[in-house]
Amino acid sequence: MTKSKLIDLLAKKWPHLERKEVELAVGCMIEQMSKALMANDRIEIRGFGSFSLHYHPPFTGRNPRTGAELKLQARYSPYFKPGRELRQRVDLLKTSCEIKQKA
């Protein structure tokens, strides 16, 4: 799902809100989540999952074309861990789809 599709779905679900207001709310939420991760804070949304940063130490990589060694710097990357409720809902949906396909 893209950001614009999310905004469209939310605007349809709450027709009393203007699309611009929904767009602003979604943008603010994403901005606040980004700022929290940049401050090395953990984000936890109950029933959905948590976002955190994972540290990757520096290492020596290789250019696949030439085989030359490259020194890669340490970095942080965002990591999402789904919550138990989300995993169960996805699993239930997948198993019900598989049962329908077999029938």
Side-chain angles (χ1 to χ4, degrees), residues 2-86:
T2 62
K3 182 178 172 181
S4 60
K5 283 188 179 187
L6 174 63
I7 292 168
D8 290 339
L9 285 171
L10 293 174
K12 286 178 187 175
K13 185 170 183 167
W14 291 296
H16 63 282
L17 295 175
E18 292 184 28
R19 188 182 193 287
K20 284 284 185 189
E21 292 173 327
V22 174
E23 191 173 336
L24 180 64
V26 170
C28 286
M29 188 179 79
I30 291 172
E31 181 66 26
Q32 289 304 312
M33 291 174 74
S34 298
K35 285 181 180 179
L37 286 175
M38 288 169 29
N40 202 19
D41 290 338
R42 185 172 179 269
I43 302 166
E44 184 177 329
I45 303 171
R46 301 274 176 178
F48 184 70
S50 62
F51 298 86
S52 60
L53 293 178
H54 275 201
Y55 175 74
H56 300 278
F59 67 97
T60 304
R62 293 202 178 272
N63 180 332
R65 183 171 288 165
T66 63
E69 285 190 358
L70 300 170
K71 300 274 187 203
L72 298 171
Q73 296 178 355
R75 64 185 174 91
Y76 287 91
S77 63
Y79 175 74
F80 173 71
K81 181 179 179 185
R84 182 177 60 205
E85 186 179 327
L86 178 62

Side-chain angles (χ1 to χ4, degrees), residues 76-95:
Y76 287 91
S77 63
Y79 175 74
F80 173 71
K81 181 179 179 185
R84 182 177 60 205
E85 186 179 327
L86 178 62
R87 285 193 314 265
Q88 289 171 346
R89 291 175 74 177
V90 169
D91 189 44
L92 181 64
L93 180 67
K94 291 289 187 184
T95 54

